[in-house]
Amino acid sequence: FFFQAEDGIRDHCVTGVQTCGLPIFRLFVRFDRRRRFASCLLYWPRDAYHTALRVRIEQILRDALGAVESEFTTVFSESVLVRTHFVMRLGPDARVDLDVRELEALVARVAEPWQDQLEAALAAAFGEESAAGFVANYQGAFPAGYQDDTAVAMAVSDIRKIDELETAASLGVHIYREPRDPENLLHVRIFNCERAVTLSEVVPILENMGMQVLTERPYRLRRADGRELWVHDLGVHHAGPSAIDPRLSGTRIEAAFLAVMNGQIGRAHV
């Protein structure tokens, strides 16, 4: 179960694969007989290792396997590869028939530099020709905190929203929920192409909508064309009797929020 008898042989084989110039992310997964635990061995480049990435990979493995708890051990040796051993305690919805090679490929993609991932995602979303303009304009625009907090799919969505605002308005908002968030937690993502938004402006509006602001993550983007843009991500708790589904009610909430922010209706009418 813990691969102990095979560790030495596997170490030599995986290192040999790396020195031949073949893929250097290798994942091995085993389950115990009762399917209560999964043992995952990941070999990956030493120069790619850092704590934030290890945490992301651990979460990916947990989600893929349906684990409720996990722990890890990382071994550094003279090899160019690091070996991280994740032990997953599986939950009632565990998935034991997953495609390990597909999961391995996902881990490898996540380990790519964030900017490289963004460029690939922009090409997929807009086509290579249109994406080239976005890539040039947003090269180096996103601060480190934004990259740590934001998946590339959300970054593409932000770029799309900002592009729309520059031709129509300066203020925008997006209501969403992260996959692992509880039903009473939402995110209000505010975009401003002119200035930073203050909490004193937005908190009273959200409170009138029955939302309590729990967290704020502000980001200032500096594009290659010299334009500065602001993105604010607010984590809010909704105290209503029923959960809000952003897919059904998000557009209505966004419209009401913008109407108040733009002075079209008073706060009391929200």
Side-chain angles (χ1 to χ4, degrees), residues 206-244:
L206 295 173
E207 287 180 343
N208 283 346
M209 293 180 168
M211 300 180 191
Q212 178 187 5
V213 177
L214 303 178
T215 61
E216 181 201 17
R217 293 181 295 179
Y219 312 101
R220 180 167 62 176
L221 282 54
R222 295 185 177 91
R223 291 194 318 205
D225 62 2
R227 188 81 183 269
E228 289 193 344
L229 312 158
W230 285 265
V231 179
H232 302 259
D233 193 289
L234 306 179
V236 302
H237 175 269
H238 179 251
S242 58
I244 294 176

Side-chain angles (χ1 to χ4, degrees), residues 16-195:
V17 169
Q18 191 276 334
T19 56
C20 290
L22 297 175
I24 51 179
F25 280 83
R26 291 308 309 272
L27 176 67
F28 301 89
V29 179
R30 279 190 180 177
F31 300 91
D32 71 332
R33 293 180 179 178
R34 296 183 179 181
R35 298 295 193 264
R36 295 172 59 187
F37 292 90
S39 183
C40 306
L41 269 182
L42 176 66
Y43 291 81
W44 49 316
R46 175 192 288 267
D47 58 6
Y49 184 92
H50 58 85
T51 300
L53 179 55
R54 194 269 306 158
V55 170
R56 289 190 65 190
I57 291 173
E58 186 171 0
Q59 189 61 59
I60 288 172
L61 295 176
R62 287 183 61 164
D63 292 345
L65 291 163
V68 294
E69 292 181 2
S70 61
E71 57 184 44
F72 77 97
T73 303
T74 297
V75 176
F76 296 88
S77 67
E78 295 181 357
S79 170
V80 294
L81 299 179
V82 171
R83 185 180 72 196
T84 302
H85 180 202
F86 300 96
V87 178
M88 305 280 170
R89 186 168 75 84
L90 304 179
D93 300 322
R95 294 177 287 277
V96 298
D97 58 347
L98 76 167
D99 186 328
V100 176
R101 297 284 73 82
E102 183 177 320
L103 183 57
E104 177 184 87
L106 174 60
V107 169
R109 288 197 300 271
V110 168
E112 294 175 356
W114 191 89
Q115 186 66 37
D116 292 351
Q117 295 182 55
L118 177 61
E119 292 179 13
L122 287 170
F126 298 102
E128 291 189 6
E129 184 175 348
S130 297
F134 288 121
V135 169
N137 209 14
Y138 283 90
Q139 183 75 34
F142 298 101
Y146 181 99
Q147 296 182 33
D148 290 341
D149 297 337
T150 309
V152 292
M154 178 63 75
V156 171
S157 176
D158 288 352
I159 290 173
R160 191 190 300 272
K161 172 67 73 172
I162 292 169
D163 188 56
E164 295 172 355
L165 292 176
E166 289 188 298
T167 59
S170 63
L171 184 68
V173 64
H174 173 50
I175 307 291
Y176 73 98
R177 177 181 290 119
E178 295 281 8
R180 292 183 296 275
D181 286 345
E183 289 187 346
N184 59 359
L185 181 64
L186 294 170
H187 288 267
V188 180
R189 205 163 178 89
I190 303 171
F191 306 85
N192 199 318
C193 296
E194 295 179 350
R195 62 177 178 83

